[in-house]
Amino acid sequence: MSTKVKRIIIASVIAAVVIVIASIAVRACRENRLLEEGSVDVKAVIEKVERRHHEERYQRIRHRVHRQPAYTSYTIYFAYTVDGVEYHDDFTTRKGMLRSLYKGDSIIITYAIKDPAVTRVDTKRIKRRGLPVFTDLSLIHISEPTRPY
């Protein structure tokens, strides 16, 4: 391959990455705008709860080793009905789960009036028997006790 072809390929890959990032940003702004223009709270029924544990790992960045601690992420799939139409959606969080959620439990979600497929879930409002399900911290890190020297 010639140098010119390599440069064209690299420029194309960079342009594709920029386009993907820009489209994600535009979508997030659109959803936020729709929710700010008008939104309604509704009860949604949990269809499935998935738990994924990620082990601790180390990553080398510019001659330095960075530790990425272990964490657990939860994906909650839910369904809700608006004007007789049933919608299905999900959300993922890395916040610690204090109480288990099960299929059939209900949670409060917020959807946009103009587009009911646009939802937002506030983990602080998810409760089971009146008690919060998730912690306020996204990651809980318990440090080891320090040793005197």
Side-chain angles (χ1 to χ4, degrees), residues 52-58 67-73 94 138-141:
R52 289 187 199 96
H53 183 71
H54 305 271
E55 295 296 329
E56 175 182 34
R57 62 184 177 159
Y58 294 89
R67 180 177 157 261
Q68 295 179 335
Y71 66 92
T72 302
S73 65
R94 288 174 60 172
S138 61
L139 292 174
I140 297 177
H141 177 71

Side-chain angles (χ1 to χ4, degrees), residues 6-139:
K6 288 181 184 177
R7 287 181 182 168
I8 291 172
I9 291 173
I10 291 171
S12 300
V13 169
I14 291 172
V17 169
V18 168
I19 289 170
V20 167
I21 291 172
S23 65
I24 291 170
V26 167
R27 180 180 177 205
C29 289
R30 176 188 168 273
E31 289 179 355
N32 283 336
R33 184 177 41 80
L34 286 171
L35 287 164
E36 287 174 0
E37 286 177 0
S39 58
V40 177
D41 291 343
V42 68
K43 275 192 176 182
V45 177
I46 295 176
E47 296 178 324
K48 182 169 68 168
V49 178
E50 286 183 356
R51 177 183 179 266
R52 289 187 199 96
H53 183 71
H54 305 271
E55 295 296 329
E56 175 182 34
R57 62 184 177 159
Y58 294 89
Q59 184 177 15
R60 185 178 205 99
I61 301 173
R62 294 187 184 193
H63 308 293
R64 299 180 108 180
V65 176
H66 296 274
R67 180 177 157 261
Q68 295 179 335
Y71 66 92
T72 302
S73 65
Y74 300 92
T75 302
I76 298 175
Y77 299 89
F78 57 89
Y80 59 100
T81 305
V82 178
D83 298 329
V85 179
E86 187 173 31
Y87 295 91
H88 300 272
D89 203 356
D90 63 75
F91 76 97
T92 301
T93 182
R94 288 174 60 172
K95 292 185 177 186
M97 187 179 275
L98 301 171
R99 288 158 194 80
S100 296
L101 288 174
Y102 300 100
K103 179 180 178 179
D105 287 349
S106 62
I107 59 174
I108 302 292
I109 64 160
T110 305
Y111 72 87
I113 294 173
K114 288 185 177 179
D115 186 2
V118 175
T119 61
R120 180 178 291 159
V121 179
D122 183 9
T123 56
K124 293 177 184 175
R125 295 175 55 190
I126 299 177
K127 299 192 182 296
R128 181 166 173 83
R129 296 184 184 147
L131 299 171
V133 172
F134 294 101
T135 61
D136 286 337
L137 305 173
S138 61
L139 292 174

